[in-house]
Amino acid sequence: MVKLTTLSKAISITPRKTIFNLRLLILLVFLLTLCPLGAESWRYSVIGENQEYVSLVESTLSLIPYADGEEAISKVVERVERSKRIEEDKKKAQYYEDENYDALSSFSYSSLPPVDVVQLEKVSLSLSQYDSLLSDGDKDTYEYLMIQNNLDALFYVRSKGEGTIKEIELLYNGDVIRKAYYTTSLYSFEEEALLDYFTSLLSPHLSYYVLNVDVPSYSLVLDGEVNTDPSDFLVLEKGMHTFTLSSPGYVEKTEVLEIGEEREINLSLEPLSSHSLYVSARPWDAGILLNGEKVEGKYIPSLHSPYTLSLSSPDFSHFTFQSKSNEERVEIEMNPLWTEDKDIVMEKKNSFYRSILTSLLSFGGYTAVNAVENINGTSGPNALKVVFGGISIVSLINLVYTALDYYGSASQGV
């Protein structure tokens, strides 16, 4: 991929008549369309010596889906306009240097399209590089660092105190917005206060809500999108929202709710009907795990579907069984480890085929001796006939044995 800076240098050292060549301009436009500028975002960074509180601030900001507040948008527009003006000033200076008066006469500063909504973008900064500046710096220091790193917001966590109790200050662009004494155990209560501030800072249309579900663990699909954040806090617009909840042992539930002023959202799930299960396992002494937990014995008096059974035993392959039905008995036969060796199974197959050949030869010899004896009318015992008859019986027994042996190994899935 060619960097735009490299491309601009290549153009600047090319003769002027080539720069304005129509084909080159078309190629340049084509390259720029392949490298479009990304959508603007509210760029922020959180740094500080108290990493636990820094993580709390970052996780709280990650709950907010977008920014459309007047202050946040103005910060983004100011930063983008500043960057654009710098680029255009560089272009204008280049025109002067090249004495390109035609381009100078038609040059004008472009205006940005209106910005209504922006996404949040986290930017990582080095604590060791900026800690000394931010701990003692004023608002001008923050302004300098924000311009240097192309930021719209810079949060700094200042921590003082010894032991478990610490005085923590949270600064936003040089202003203290939170200050109190905390212990790690109290940070969970701080999340609500941070959400109050951040939602008012970033969007007048968003509010935070607390989701209460009467099951210990669940999966949430909110408005058709999987919610991967494990927090019980949700940041939403007021209005209609669709909640789909699922949890092992419970009936999946979809509910459409109108979210308003009330901060708590309470949802419940109905448990699935339980049933008993008997596990018939081979080998008998196989260990059984039900949904990852060990089961004593073969009889499980109560469980909910869907469930997962995992069986293990020495010298046997691990077996996993998943079911969504309410069967009361399952039969599981585990494969011996030796069946995973294809050479062994191939040898059993070859042994079976050799037994077939031996049986055919022995029975063929016995039949031929018997036919010759009938033609000659010989009476009395014939030694050759007795030998072929004995071989035929032995080969028949061996054929049955090798057939069962091969069938038994092949039926185990190897």
Side-chain angles (χ1 to χ4, degrees):
M1 177 178 177
V2 179
K3 293 185 178 179
L4 293 181
T5 53
T6 306
L7 183 60
S8 64
K9 290 178 182 177
I11 294 174
S12 65
I13 63 176
T14 308
R16 294 180 188 174
K17 62 180 181 180
T18 307
I19 293 177
F20 295 98
N21 185 281
L22 180 59
R23 287 176 295 178
L24 182 59
L25 286 176
I26 294 174
L27 176 62
L28 179 60
V29 171
F30 176 73
L31 288 174
L32 290 175
T33 57
L34 293 180
C35 308
L37 296 176
E40 292 302 330
S41 57
W42 188 76
R43 291 168 54 88
Y44 71 92
S45 184
V46 186
I47 60 175
E49 60 185 24
N50 190 313
Q51 191 55 45
E52 291 175 326
Y53 198 88
V54 168
S55 298
L56 176 66
V57 175
E58 291 177 338
S59 63
T60 306
L61 280 166
S62 68
L63 294 174
I64 301 176
Y66 62 82
D68 61 358
E70 183 178 341
E71 180 181 348
I73 295 296
S74 66
K75 285 285 186 183
V76 174
V77 172
E78 178 185 344
R79 172 178 58 81
V80 174
E81 285 183 338
R82 180 174 61 246
S83 300
K84 194 170 185 63
R85 179 61 62 90
I86 291 173
E87 290 299 320
E88 291 178 336
D89 284 342
K90 288 181 179 178
K91 184 186 295 184
K92 188 175 182 180
Q94 188 65 46
Y95 289 156
Y96 276 113
E97 183 179 344
D98 296 340
E99 298 181 359
N100 188 349
Y101 300 111
D102 291 338
L104 280 171
S105 62
S106 61
F107 178 83
S108 63
Y109 290 103
S110 59
S111 59
L112 290 175
V115 179
D116 299 323
V117 178
V118 293
Q119 302 299 313
L120 275 60
E121 179 184 355
K122 175 186 170 183
V123 179
S124 297
L125 298 183
S126 169
L127 173 63
S128 60
Q129 186 175 358
Y130 299 114
D131 187 44
S132 59
L133 284 173
L134 294 174
S135 58
D136 301 320
D138 54 12
K139 295 193 69 172
D140 290 338
T141 304
Y142 279 80
E143 186 71 20
Y144 165 74
L145 293 177
M146 289 167 62
I147 293 175
Q148 185 186 47
N149 293 282
N150 205 26
L151 296 175
D152 303 306
L154 179 56
F155 296 92
Y156 176 70
V157 177
R158 182 185 293 156
S159 184
K160 303 176 182 177
E162 300 292 336
T164 58
I165 300 178
K166 293 184 180 294
E167 181 187 28
I168 295 178
E169 292 180 335
L170 178 60
L171 289 80
Y172 164 59
N173 294 350
D175 294 325
V176 177
I177 58 172
R178 296 287 299 168
K179 182 176 181 178
Y181 288 94
Y182 296 106
T183 66
T184 303
S185 61
L186 296 178
Y187 287 170
S188 58
F189 298 98
E190 176 68 358
E191 189 172 9
E192 192 169 345
L194 290 173
L195 278 169
D196 252 334
Y197 176 78
F198 290 147
T199 49
S200 63
L201 170 69
L202 295 173
S203 175
H205 302 100
L206 295 171
S207 298
Y208 78 87
Y209 299 90
V210 182
L211 178 62
N212 299 315
V213 183
D214 61 350
V215 297
S217 63
Y218 59 88
S219 299
L220 171 65
V221 177
L222 179 60
D223 296 328
E225 295 186 3
V226 177
N227 185 9
T228 57
D229 198 301
S231 173
D232 291 330
F233 287 99
L234 300 173
V235 179
L236 305 169
E237 294 180 351
K238 293 179 181 178
M240 306 301 293
H241 294 279
T242 302
F243 297 80
T244 300
L245 294 168
S246 59
S247 182
Y250 293 85
V251 179
E252 185 178 289
K253 180 178 185 179
T254 297
E255 190 166 347
V256 179
L257 299 176
E258 183 173 4
I259 305 302
E261 300 296 334
E262 182 63 38
R263 285 290 177 89
E264 290 198 355
I265 304 172
N266 298 304
L267 295 173
S268 59
L269 293 177
E270 294 292 329
L272 291 167
S273 57
S274 63
H275 62 94
S276 61
L277 178 68
Y278 180 79
V279 182
S280 176
R282 295 181 183 177
W284 177 258
D285 60 349
I288 302 174
L289 296 179
L290 173 62
N291 297 329
E293 297 184 2
K294 186 176 181 180
V295 174
E296 299 295 340
K298 307 296 180 185
Y299 179 73
I300 303 171
S302 178
L303 80 162
H304 302 279
S305 298
Y307 61 87
T308 300
L309 290 177
S310 298
L311 282 73
S312 60
S313 181
D315 301 323
F316 285 83
S317 299
H318 186 82
F319 187 90
T320 300
F321 173 78
Q322 294 178 323
S323 176
K324 295 183 179 180
S325 59
N326 293 339
E327 64 269 85
E328 295 184 352
R329 178 186 175 91
V330 293
E331 295 185 1
I332 298 173
E333 186 171 350
M334 302 170 64
N335 293 340
L337 287 174
W338 66 262
T339 61
E340 297 179 1
D341 189 341
K342 295 184 182 300
D343 292 337
I344 294 178
V345 179
M346 184 59 68
E347 176 58 32
K348 293 179 179 293
K349 178 181 178 180
N350 293 336
S351 178
F352 171 55
Y353 286 171
R354 284 194 298 268
S355 297
I356 294 177
L357 180 59
T358 303
S359 298
L360 290 175
L361 291 175
S362 60
F363 275 104
Y366 178 81
T367 304
V369 171
N370 192 53
V372 171
E373 185 179 67
N374 291 335
I375 293 173
N376 295 332
T378 306
S379 60
N382 188 321
L384 193 59
K385 181 178 178 182
V386 173
V387 170
F388 274 109
I391 294 176
S392 299
I393 295 173
V394 172
S395 63
L396 179 60
I397 296 173
N398 186 59
L399 176 63
V400 173
Y401 172 78
T402 54
L404 292 175
D405 194 24
Y406 171 56
Y407 174 78
S409 60
S411 66
Q412 295 181 50
V414 181

